[in-house]
Amino acid sequence: MPHIQIDYSPNLETRLDVAGLCRVLRDAAVETGILPLAGIRVRATACTHVVIADGNPDHAFLDISLRLRGGRSDQAKAEATARIFAAAEAYCAKVLETSSFLLSFEMRDIDPALSPKTSSIRRYLPGDAQ
């Protein structure tokens, strides 16, 4: 049940296709082999109020947070982090090259005992995507 949350400065919307980034992150997550498609949720939220560094309104940020249930090895999580961040960095390369922009990523475990879940999504996915 990986949850990918993107928080970003609203001025980024004129520089980056955020919906496209959501798809890129979903695909990169699946490609890791440790994050099942049926559980992936990607959402992006423009932060209404931001102050970045010295307050220059041209500064922009995008912060990606991935939460997942425990049980994966540290090595698998490190490899997944590298793969997903590389996909985000490649997607954001033009923004990084042409403007003041901060990109960050964090993966963290959710304690399964404290995070109950239920879902019917698998019933609605094609057989090979379950």
mmCIF file of all heavy atoms in Angstrom, residues 66-118:
data_model
loop_
_atom_site.group_PDB
_atom_site.id
_atom_site.type_symbol
_atom_site.label_atom_id
_atom_site.label_comp_id
_atom_site.label_asym_id
_atom_site.label_seq_id
_atom_site.Cartn_x
_atom_site.Cartn_y
_atom_site.Cartn_z
ATOM 1 N N LEU A 66 7.068 8.994 0.269
ATOM 2 C CA LEU A 66 6.520 7.670 -0.004
ATOM 3 C C LEU A 66 6.428 6.909 1.314
ATOM 4 O O LEU A 66 7.429 6.714 1.990
ATOM 5 C CB LEU A 66 7.414 6.909 -0.991
ATOM 6 C CG LEU A 66 6.831 5.628 -1.569
ATOM 7 C CD1 LEU A 66 7.468 5.329 -2.918
ATOM 8 C CD2 LEU A 66 6.975 4.438 -0.666
ATOM 9 N N ARG A 67 5.211 6.550 1.675
ATOM 10 C CA ARG A 67 4.984 5.749 2.891
ATOM 11 C C ARG A 67 4.595 4.344 2.458
ATOM 12 O O ARG A 67 3.798 4.171 1.533
ATOM 13 C CB ARG A 67 3.857 6.350 3.736
ATOM 14 C CG ARG A 67 4.145 7.721 4.246
ATOM 15 C CD ARG A 67 2.991 8.294 5.069
ATOM 16 N NE ARG A 67 1.774 8.394 4.282
ATOM 17 C CZ ARG A 67 0.602 7.845 4.619
ATOM 18 N NH1 ARG A 67 0.464 7.147 5.719
ATOM 19 N NH2 ARG A 67 -0.452 7.993 3.837
ATOM 20 N N LEU A 68 5.150 3.346 3.113
ATOM 21 C CA LEU A 68 4.803 1.973 2.777
ATOM 22 C C LEU A 68 4.806 1.106 4.024
ATOM 23 O O LEU A 68 5.463 1.420 5.016
ATOM 24 C CB LEU A 68 5.748 1.403 1.720
ATOM 25 C CG LEU A 68 7.192 1.154 2.123
ATOM 26 C CD1 LEU A 68 7.801 0.152 1.169
ATOM 27 C CD2 LEU A 68 7.987 2.434 2.088
ATOM 28 N N ARG A 69 4.035 0.027 3.949
ATOM 29 C CA ARG A 69 3.981 -0.909 5.067
ATOM 30 C C ARG A 69 5.330 -1.553 5.252
ATOM 31 O O ARG A 69 6.057 -1.795 4.292
ATOM 32 C CB ARG A 69 2.919 -1.976 4.828
ATOM 33 C CG ARG A 69 1.517 -1.425 4.959
ATOM 34 C CD ARG A 69 0.478 -2.474 4.683
ATOM 35 N NE ARG A 69 0.163 -3.267 5.849
ATOM 36 C CZ ARG A 69 -0.801 -2.985 6.710
ATOM 37 N NH1 ARG A 69 -1.533 -1.915 6.535
ATOM 38 N NH2 ARG A 69 -1.045 -3.766 7.729
ATOM 39 N N GLY A 70 5.672 -1.854 6.488
ATOM 40 C CA GLY A 70 6.939 -2.486 6.803
ATOM 41 C C GLY A 70 7.057 -3.863 6.170
ATOM 42 O O GLY A 70 6.092 -4.408 5.633
ATOM 43 N N GLY A 71 8.260 -4.407 6.211
ATOM 44 C CA GLY A 71 8.471 -5.757 5.724
ATOM 45 C C GLY A 71 9.451 -5.867 4.570
ATOM 46 O O GLY A 71 9.806 -6.962 4.170
ATOM 47 N N ARG A 72 9.893 -4.751 4.020
ATOM 48 C CA ARG A 72 10.858 -4.799 2.931
ATOM 49 C C ARG A 72 12.258 -4.584 3.503
ATOM 50 O O ARG A 72 12.435 -3.848 4.469
ATOM 51 C CB ARG A 72 10.540 -3.738 1.882
ATOM 52 C CG ARG A 72 9.242 -4.061 1.131
ATOM 53 C CD ARG A 72 8.614 -2.791 0.616
ATOM 54 N NE ARG A 72 7.364 -3.042 -0.082
ATOM 55 C CZ ARG A 72 6.173 -2.908 0.471
ATOM 56 N NH1 ARG A 72 6.055 -2.564 1.747
ATOM 57 N NH2 ARG A 72 5.082 -3.126 -0.233
ATOM 58 N N SER A 73 13.236 -5.197 2.877
ATOM 59 C CA SER A 73 14.606 -5.064 3.375
ATOM 60 C C SER A 73 15.110 -3.638 3.176
ATOM 61 O O SER A 73 14.640 -2.911 2.291
ATOM 62 C CB SER A 73 15.533 -6.041 2.646
ATOM 63 O OG SER A 73 15.751 -5.617 1.312
ATOM 64 N N ASP A 74 16.090 -3.263 3.989
ATOM 65 C CA ASP A 74 16.688 -1.940 3.842
ATOM 66 C C ASP A 74 17.310 -1.775 2.456
ATOM 67 O O ASP A 74 17.217 -0.705 1.857
ATOM 68 C CB ASP A 74 17.747 -1.703 4.924
ATOM 69 C CG ASP A 74 17.134 -1.502 6.303
ATOM 70 O OD1 ASP A 74 15.918 -1.209 6.395
ATOM 71 O OD2 ASP A 74 17.880 -1.625 7.293
ATOM 72 N N GLN A 75 17.919 -2.822 1.943
ATOM 73 C CA GLN A 75 18.534 -2.752 0.617
ATOM 74 C C GLN A 75 17.469 -2.528 -0.456
ATOM 75 O O GLN A 75 17.643 -1.693 -1.344
ATOM 76 C CB GLN A 75 19.320 -4.016 0.300
ATOM 77 C CG GLN A 75 19.957 -3.976 -1.079
ATOM 78 C CD GLN A 75 20.785 -5.201 -1.388
ATOM 79 O OE1 GLN A 75 21.130 -5.969 -0.514
ATOM 80 N NE2 GLN A 75 21.108 -5.374 -2.658
ATOM 81 N N ALA A 76 16.360 -3.254 -0.371
ATOM 82 C CA ALA A 76 15.287 -3.096 -1.353
ATOM 83 C C ALA A 76 14.722 -1.676 -1.296
ATOM 84 O O ALA A 76 14.452 -1.067 -2.339
ATOM 85 C CB ALA A 76 14.181 -4.124 -1.117
ATOM 86 N N LYS A 77 14.553 -1.139 -0.102
ATOM 87 C CA LYS A 77 14.034 0.223 0.037
ATOM 88 C C LYS A 77 15.031 1.247 -0.500
ATOM 89 O O LYS A 77 14.633 2.212 -1.160
ATOM 90 C CB LYS A 77 13.677 0.517 1.496
ATOM 91 C CG LYS A 77 12.451 -0.253 1.969
ATOM 92 C CD LYS A 77 12.018 0.155 3.352
ATOM 93 C CE LYS A 77 13.031 -0.271 4.394
ATOM 94 N NZ LYS A 77 12.567 -0.058 5.772
ATOM 95 N N ALA A 78 16.320 1.039 -0.249
ATOM 96 C CA ALA A 78 17.338 1.960 -0.762
ATOM 97 C C ALA A 78 17.361 1.943 -2.293
ATOM 98 O O ALA A 78 17.450 3.004 -2.934
ATOM 99 C CB ALA A 78 18.712 1.599 -0.200
ATOM 100 N N GLU A 79 17.266 0.762 -2.882
ATOM 101 C CA GLU A 79 17.246 0.652 -4.346
ATOM 102 C C GLU A 79 15.992 1.294 -4.924
ATOM 103 O O GLU A 79 16.051 1.990 -5.948
ATOM 104 C CB GLU A 79 17.353 -0.811 -4.768
ATOM 105 C CG GLU A 79 18.716 -1.414 -4.480
ATOM 106 C CD GLU A 79 18.775 -2.919 -4.664
ATOM 107 O OE1 GLU A 79 17.759 -3.546 -5.060
ATOM 108 O OE2 GLU A 79 19.852 -3.491 -4.401
ATOM 109 N N ALA A 80 14.851 1.083 -4.268
ATOM 110 C CA ALA A 80 13.599 1.696 -4.731
ATOM 111 C C ALA A 80 13.668 3.212 -4.614
ATOM 112 O O ALA A 80 13.226 3.937 -5.520
ATOM 113 C CB ALA A 80 12.418 1.147 -3.939
ATOM 114 N N THR A 81 14.220 3.705 -3.511
ATOM 115 C CA THR A 81 14.374 5.144 -3.327
ATOM 116 C C THR A 81 15.215 5.733 -4.459
ATOM 117 O O THR A 81 14.846 6.748 -5.054
ATOM 118 C CB THR A 81 15.022 5.451 -1.959
ATOM 119 O OG1 THR A 81 14.109 5.064 -0.927
ATOM 120 C CG2 THR A 81 15.356 6.922 -1.804
ATOM 121 N N ALA A 82 16.338 5.096 -4.755
ATOM 122 C CA ALA A 82 17.225 5.593 -5.816
ATOM 123 C C ALA A 82 16.517 5.600 -7.166
ATOM 124 O O ALA A 82 16.615 6.577 -7.926
ATOM 125 C CB ALA A 82 18.498 4.751 -5.868
ATOM 126 N N ARG A 83 15.783 4.535 -7.457
ATOM 127 C CA ARG A 83 15.096 4.431 -8.759
ATOM 128 C C ARG A 83 14.000 5.489 -8.898
ATOM 129 O O ARG A 83 13.876 6.155 -9.930
ATOM 130 C CB ARG A 83 14.512 3.039 -8.923
ATOM 131 C CG ARG A 83 13.724 2.886 -10.205
ATOM 132 C CD ARG A 83 13.113 1.492 -10.322
ATOM 133 N NE ARG A 83 13.157 1.120 -11.705
ATOM 134 C CZ ARG A 83 13.916 0.175 -12.240
ATOM 135 N NH1 ARG A 83 14.676 -0.544 -11.493
ATOM 136 N NH2 ARG A 83 13.891 -0.065 -13.516
ATOM 137 N N ILE A 84 13.178 5.637 -7.866
ATOM 138 C CA ILE A 84 12.069 6.584 -7.931
ATOM 139 C C ILE A 84 12.589 8.019 -7.958
ATOM 140 O O ILE A 84 12.104 8.858 -8.736
ATOM 141 C CB ILE A 84 11.081 6.350 -6.775
ATOM 142 C CG1 ILE A 84 10.447 4.953 -6.914
ATOM 143 C CG2 ILE A 84 10.019 7.443 -6.737
ATOM 144 C CD1 ILE A 84 9.709 4.477 -5.677
ATOM 145 N N PHE A 85 13.611 8.325 -7.131
ATOM 146 C CA PHE A 85 14.160 9.680 -7.148
ATOM 147 C C PHE A 85 14.808 9.991 -8.495
ATOM 148 O O PHE A 85 14.664 11.107 -9.017
ATOM 149 C CB PHE A 85 15.159 9.901 -6.011
ATOM 150 C CG PHE A 85 15.618 11.329 -5.929
ATOM 151 C CD1 PHE A 85 14.782 12.313 -5.430
ATOM 152 C CD2 PHE A 85 16.876 11.696 -6.380
ATOM 153 C CE1 PHE A 85 15.184 13.636 -5.372
ATOM 154 C CE2 PHE A 85 17.286 13.027 -6.334
ATOM 155 C CZ PHE A 85 16.446 13.998 -5.821
ATOM 156 N N ALA A 86 15.490 9.016 -9.080
ATOM 157 C CA ALA A 86 16.099 9.232 -10.398
ATOM 158 C C ALA A 86 15.031 9.547 -11.443
ATOM 159 O O ALA A 86 15.230 10.411 -12.305
ATOM 160 C CB ALA A 86 16.917 8.012 -10.816
ATOM 161 N N ALA A 87 13.901 8.870 -11.372
ATOM 162 C CA ALA A 87 12.800 9.147 -12.307
ATOM 163 C C ALA A 87 12.263 10.559 -12.101
ATOM 164 O O ALA A 87 12.010 11.291 -13.070
ATOM 165 C CB ALA A 87 11.681 8.118 -12.141
ATOM 166 N N ALA A 88 12.102 10.968 -10.850
ATOM 167 C CA ALA A 88 11.623 12.320 -10.548
ATOM 168 C C ALA A 88 12.633 13.361 -11.016
ATOM 169 O O ALA A 88 12.263 14.375 -11.628
ATOM 170 C CB ALA A 88 11.361 12.476 -9.049
ATOM 171 N N GLU A 89 13.900 13.110 -10.746
ATOM 172 C CA GLU A 89 14.946 14.054 -11.133
ATOM 173 C C GLU A 89 15.020 14.201 -12.656
ATOM 174 O O GLU A 89 15.151 15.316 -13.179
ATOM 175 C CB GLU A 89 16.284 13.587 -10.573
ATOM 176 C CG GLU A 89 17.383 14.598 -10.628
ATOM 177 C CD GLU A 89 18.616 14.152 -9.870
ATOM 178 O OE1 GLU A 89 18.842 12.937 -9.694
ATOM 179 O OE2 GLU A 89 19.373 15.054 -9.459
ATOM 180 N N ALA A 90 14.911 13.105 -13.373
ATOM 181 C CA ALA A 90 14.928 13.157 -14.838
ATOM 182 C C ALA A 90 13.715 13.935 -15.355
ATOM 183 O O ALA A 90 13.832 14.754 -16.271
ATOM 184 C CB ALA A 90 14.957 11.749 -15.424
ATOM 185 N N TYR A 91 12.546 13.682 -14.766
ATOM 186 C CA TYR A 91 11.332 14.361 -15.194
ATOM 187 C C TYR A 91 11.417 15.868 -14.934
ATOM 188 O O TYR A 91 10.897 16.677 -15.704
ATOM 189 C CB TYR A 91 10.114 13.768 -14.477
ATOM 190 C CG TYR A 91 8.802 14.244 -15.038
ATOM 191 C CD1 TYR A 91 8.238 13.628 -16.145
ATOM 192 C CD2 TYR A 91 8.135 15.314 -14.472
ATOM 193 C CE1 TYR A 91 7.025 14.068 -16.679
ATOM 194 C CE2 TYR A 91 6.922 15.765 -14.990
ATOM 195 C CZ TYR A 91 6.378 15.136 -16.088
ATOM 196 O OH TYR A 91 5.189 15.583 -16.610
ATOM 197 N N CYS A 92 12.076 16.237 -13.848
ATOM 198 C CA CYS A 92 12.178 17.646 -13.442
ATOM 199 C C CYS A 92 13.450 18.317 -13.954
ATOM 200 O O CYS A 92 13.736 19.470 -13.585
ATOM 201 C CB CYS A 92 12.135 17.743 -11.914
ATOM 202 S SG CYS A 92 10.589 17.185 -11.175
ATOM 203 N N ALA A 93 14.221 17.644 -14.799
ATOM 204 C CA ALA A 93 15.529 18.147 -15.227
ATOM 205 C C ALA A 93 15.458 19.555 -15.824
ATOM 206 O O ALA A 93 16.292 20.410 -15.515
ATOM 207 C CB ALA A 93 16.164 17.175 -16.218
ATOM 208 N N LYS A 94 14.494 19.812 -16.669
ATOM 209 C CA LYS A 94 14.395 21.134 -17.306
ATOM 210 C C LYS A 94 14.159 22.221 -16.262
ATOM 211 O O LYS A 94 14.754 23.299 -16.328
ATOM 212 C CB LYS A 94 13.289 21.142 -18.353
ATOM 213 C CG LYS A 94 13.194 22.452 -19.096
ATOM 214 C CD LYS A 94 12.131 22.417 -20.172
ATOM 215 C CE LYS A 94 12.038 23.771 -20.859
ATOM 216 N NZ LYS A 94 10.943 23.817 -21.834
ATOM 217 N N VAL A 95 13.293 21.939 -15.294
ATOM 218 C CA VAL A 95 13.021 22.924 -14.236
ATOM 219 C C VAL A 95 14.281 23.161 -13.412
ATOM 220 O O VAL A 95 14.602 24.305 -13.070
ATOM 221 C CB VAL A 95 11.850 22.465 -13.335
ATOM 222 C CG1 VAL A 95 11.604 23.449 -12.207
ATOM 223 C CG2 VAL A 95 10.589 22.274 -14.154
ATOM 224 N N LEU A 96 15.014 22.088 -13.114
ATOM 225 C CA LEU A 96 16.263 22.223 -12.355
ATOM 226 C C LEU A 96 17.293 23.056 -13.116
ATOM 227 O O LEU A 96 18.065 23.800 -12.511
ATOM 228 C CB LEU A 96 16.843 20.837 -12.043
ATOM 229 C CG LEU A 96 16.173 20.076 -10.905
ATOM 230 C CD1 LEU A 96 16.498 18.595 -10.968
ATOM 231 C CD2 LEU A 96 16.610 20.665 -9.572
ATOM 232 N N GLU A 97 17.311 22.912 -14.417
ATOM 233 C CA GLU A 97 18.292 23.630 -15.241
ATOM 234 C C GLU A 97 17.932 25.092 -15.457
ATOM 235 O O GLU A 97 18.819 25.918 -15.674
ATOM 236 C CB GLU A 97 18.412 22.956 -16.612
ATOM 237 C CG GLU A 97 19.043 21.593 -16.583
ATOM 238 C CD GLU A 97 18.958 20.882 -17.937
ATOM 239 O OE1 GLU A 97 18.602 21.530 -18.951
ATOM 240 O OE2 GLU A 97 19.233 19.677 -17.970
ATOM 241 N N THR A 98 16.647 25.421 -15.420
ATOM 242 C CA THR A 98 16.223 26.749 -15.852
ATOM 243 C C THR A 98 15.662 27.648 -14.763
ATOM 244 O O THR A 98 15.315 28.799 -15.049
ATOM 245 C CB THR A 98 15.157 26.627 -16.963
ATOM 246 O OG1 THR A 98 14.020 25.917 -16.442
ATOM 247 C CG2 THR A 98 15.697 25.909 -18.183
ATOM 248 N N SER A 99 15.562 27.137 -13.535
ATOM 249 C CA SER A 99 14.981 27.981 -12.486
ATOM 250 C C SER A 99 15.441 27.545 -11.106
ATOM 251 O O SER A 99 16.048 26.490 -10.936
ATOM 252 C CB SER A 99 13.449 27.940 -12.571
ATOM 253 O OG SER A 99 12.950 26.650 -12.294
ATOM 254 N N SER A 100 15.112 28.372 -10.124
ATOM 255 C CA SER A 100 15.423 28.077 -8.724
ATOM 256 C C SER A 100 14.413 27.045 -8.225
ATOM 257 O O SER A 100 13.220 27.338 -8.103
ATOM 258 C CB SER A 100 15.324 29.359 -7.895
ATOM 259 O OG SER A 100 15.505 29.068 -6.521
ATOM 260 N N PHE A 101 14.892 25.834 -7.953
ATOM 261 C CA PHE A 101 13.982 24.713 -7.685
ATOM 262 C C PHE A 101 14.636 23.715 -6.739
ATOM 263 O O PHE A 101 15.793 23.339 -6.918
ATOM 264 C CB PHE A 101 13.644 24.038 -9.018
ATOM 265 C CG PHE A 101 12.779 22.812 -8.915
ATOM 266 C CD1 PHE A 101 11.533 22.862 -8.323
ATOM 267 C CD2 PHE A 101 13.227 21.612 -9.427
ATOM 268 C CE1 PHE A 101 10.737 21.722 -8.238
ATOM 269 C CE2 PHE A 101 12.446 20.466 -9.360
ATOM 270 C CZ PHE A 101 11.202 20.530 -8.759
ATOM 271 N N LEU A 102 13.887 23.297 -5.736
ATOM 272 C CA LEU A 102 14.335 22.282 -4.787
ATOM 273 C C LEU A 102 13.505 21.033 -4.982
ATOM 274 O O LEU A 102 12.271 21.098 -4.985
ATOM 275 C CB LEU A 102 14.142 22.773 -3.348
ATOM 276 C CG LEU A 102 14.878 24.034 -2.958
ATOM 277 C CD1 LEU A 102 13.939 25.024 -2.323
ATOM 278 C CD2 LEU A 102 16.003 23.674 -2.023
ATOM 279 N N LEU A 103 14.150 19.876 -5.114
ATOM 280 C CA LEU A 103 13.471 18.593 -5.273
ATOM 281 C C LEU A 103 13.930 17.678 -4.154
ATOM 282 O O LEU A 103 15.134 17.519 -3.935
ATOM 283 C CB LEU A 103 13.818 17.978 -6.637
ATOM 284 C CG LEU A 103 13.283 16.572 -6.913
ATOM 285 C CD1 LEU A 103 11.752 16.574 -6.964
ATOM 286 C CD2 LEU A 103 13.865 16.045 -8.232
ATOM 287 N N SER A 104 12.987 17.083 -3.438
ATOM 288 C CA SER A 104 13.350 16.180 -2.344
ATOM 289 C C SER A 104 12.437 14.960 -2.328
ATOM 290 O O SER A 104 11.339 14.984 -2.884
ATOM 291 C CB SER A 104 13.293 16.903 -0.994
ATOM 292 O OG SER A 104 12.002 17.419 -0.755
ATOM 293 N N PHE A 105 12.926 13.903 -1.681
ATOM 294 C CA PHE A 105 12.212 12.634 -1.612
ATOM 295 C C PHE A 105 12.516 11.973 -0.276
ATOM 296 O O PHE A 105 13.644 12.032 0.207
ATOM 297 C CB PHE A 105 12.691 11.718 -2.752
ATOM 298 C CG PHE A 105 12.023 10.363 -2.766
ATOM 299 C CD1 PHE A 105 10.852 10.154 -3.472
ATOM 300 C CD2 PHE A 105 12.577 9.291 -2.083
ATOM 301 C CE1 PHE A 105 10.233 8.915 -3.492
ATOM 302 C CE2 PHE A 105 11.967 8.042 -2.085
ATOM 303 C CZ PHE A 105 10.793 7.856 -2.797
ATOM 304 N N GLU A 106 11.513 11.334 0.302
ATOM 305 C CA GLU A 106 11.714 10.559 1.530
ATOM 306 C C GLU A 106 10.824 9.327 1.495
ATOM 307 O O GLU A 106 9.636 9.416 1.176
ATOM 308 C CB GLU A 106 11.366 11.386 2.768
ATOM 309 C CG GLU A 106 11.525 10.614 4.059
ATOM 310 C CD GLU A 106 11.017 11.364 5.280
ATOM 311 O OE1 GLU A 106 10.284 12.349 5.135
ATOM 312 O OE2 GLU A 106 11.338 10.926 6.399
ATOM 313 N N MET A 107 11.398 8.182 1.837
ATOM 314 C CA MET A 107 10.620 6.958 1.979
ATOM 315 C C MET A 107 10.613 6.599 3.469
ATOM 316 O O MET A 107 11.643 6.677 4.137
ATOM 317 C CB MET A 107 11.257 5.802 1.196
ATOM 318 C CG MET A 107 10.464 4.503 1.307
ATOM 319 S SD MET A 107 11.250 3.103 0.481
ATOM 320 C CE MET A 107 11.058 3.558 -1.237
ATOM 321 N N ARG A 108 9.440 6.183 3.963
ATOM 322 C CA ARG A 108 9.378 5.755 5.368
ATOM 323 C C ARG A 108 8.348 4.650 5.530
ATOM 324 O O ARG A 108 7.374 4.553 4.778
ATOM 325 C CB ARG A 108 9.097 6.923 6.294
ATOM 326 C CG ARG A 108 7.817 7.659 6.063
ATOM 327 C CD ARG A 108 7.747 8.904 6.971
ATOM 328 N NE ARG A 108 6.585 9.695 6.734
ATOM 329 C CZ ARG A 108 6.470 10.632 5.812
ATOM 330 N NH1 ARG A 108 7.469 10.882 5.011
ATOM 331 N NH2 ARG A 108 5.360 11.321 5.681
ATOM 332 N N ASP A 109 8.584 3.830 6.534
ATOM 333 C CA ASP A 109 7.714 2.696 6.821
ATOM 334 C C ASP A 109 6.521 3.112 7.670
ATOM 335 O O ASP A 109 6.625 3.984 8.526
ATOM 336 C CB ASP A 109 8.483 1.612 7.598
ATOM 337 C CG ASP A 109 9.467 0.858 6.736
ATOM 338 O OD1 ASP A 109 9.238 0.718 5.524
ATOM 339 O OD2 ASP A 109 10.479 0.388 7.290
ATOM 340 N N ILE A 110 5.409 2.455 7.416
ATOM 341 C CA ILE A 110 4.213 2.568 8.238
ATOM 342 C C ILE A 110 4.135 1.299 9.077
ATOM 343 O O ILE A 110 4.305 0.194 8.557
ATOM 344 C CB ILE A 110 2.949 2.676 7.355
ATOM 345 C CG1 ILE A 110 2.985 3.933 6.499
ATOM 346 C CG2 ILE A 110 1.694 2.631 8.208
ATOM 347 C CD1 ILE A 110 1.875 3.984 5.452
ATOM 348 N N ASP A 111 3.870 1.434 10.343
ATOM 349 C CA ASP A 111 3.711 0.271 11.212
ATOM 350 C C ASP A 111 2.386 -0.408 10.864
ATOM 351 O O ASP A 111 1.311 0.177 11.061
ATOM 352 C CB ASP A 111 3.716 0.723 12.669
ATOM 353 C CG ASP A 111 3.613 -0.421 13.653
ATOM 354 O OD1 ASP A 111 3.196 -1.547 13.261
ATOM 355 O OD2 ASP A 111 3.939 -0.194 14.832
ATOM 356 N N PRO A 112 2.413 -1.661 10.325
ATOM 357 C CA PRO A 112 1.163 -2.311 9.920
ATOM 358 C C PRO A 112 0.175 -2.516 11.070
ATOM 359 O O PRO A 112 -1.033 -2.536 10.847
ATOM 360 C CB PRO A 112 1.612 -3.650 9.337
ATOM 361 C CG PRO A 112 3.068 -3.734 9.485
ATOM 362 C CD PRO A 112 3.582 -2.458 10.056
ATOM 363 N N ALA A 113 0.680 -2.643 12.286
ATOM 364 C CA ALA A 113 -0.218 -2.835 13.428
ATOM 365 C C ALA A 113 -1.042 -1.586 13.724
ATOM 366 O O ALA A 113 -2.085 -1.665 14.357
ATOM 367 C CB ALA A 113 0.597 -3.231 14.666
ATOM 368 N N LEU A 114 -0.565 -0.443 13.247
ATOM 369 C CA LEU A 114 -1.242 0.820 13.535
ATOM 370 C C LEU A 114 -1.873 1.437 12.286
ATOM 371 O O LEU A 114 -2.251 2.607 12.292
ATOM 372 C CB LEU A 114 -0.239 1.814 14.138
ATOM 373 C CG LEU A 114 0.462 1.350 15.418
ATOM 374 C CD1 LEU A 114 1.507 2.357 15.846
ATOM 375 C CD2 LEU A 114 -0.539 1.074 16.518
ATOM 376 N N SER A 115 -2.012 0.627 11.232
ATOM 377 C CA SER A 115 -2.521 1.163 9.973
ATOM 378 C C SER A 115 -3.407 0.136 9.270
ATOM 379 O O SER A 115 -3.006 -0.485 8.284
ATOM 380 C CB SER A 115 -1.328 1.552 9.083
ATOM 381 O OG SER A 115 -1.769 2.098 7.881
ATOM 382 N N PRO A 116 -4.634 -0.050 9.761
ATOM 383 C CA PRO A 116 -5.515 -1.031 9.122
ATOM 384 C C PRO A 116 -5.900 -0.601 7.710
ATOM 385 O O PRO A 116 -5.989 0.592 7.416
ATOM 386 C CB PRO A 116 -6.731 -1.071 10.044
ATOM 387 C CG PRO A 116 -6.676 0.183 10.838
ATOM 388 C CD PRO A 116 -5.250 0.621 10.896
ATOM 389 N N LYS A 117 -6.119 -1.573 6.838
ATOM 390 C CA LYS A 117 -6.457 -1.294 5.441
ATOM 391 C C LYS A 117 -7.525 -2.258 4.959
ATOM 392 O O LYS A 117 -7.613 -3.391 5.417
ATOM 393 C CB LYS A 117 -5.235 -1.496 4.532
ATOM 394 C CG LYS A 117 -4.033 -0.670 4.897
ATOM 395 C CD LYS A 117 -4.222 0.770 4.464
ATOM 396 C CE LYS A 117 -3.045 1.614 4.840
ATOM 397 N NZ LYS A 117 -3.184 2.382 6.037
ATOM 398 N N THR A 118 -8.303 -1.828 3.991
ATOM 399 C CA THR A 118 -9.205 -2.692 3.244
ATOM 400 C C THR A 118 -9.337 -2.103 1.851
ATOM 401 O O THR A 118 -9.192 -0.894 1.669
ATOM 402 C CB THR A 118 -10.583 -2.847 3.924
ATOM 403 O OG1 THR A 118 -11.324 -3.847 3.242
ATOM 404 C CG2 THR A 118 -11.348 -1.551 3.938
#
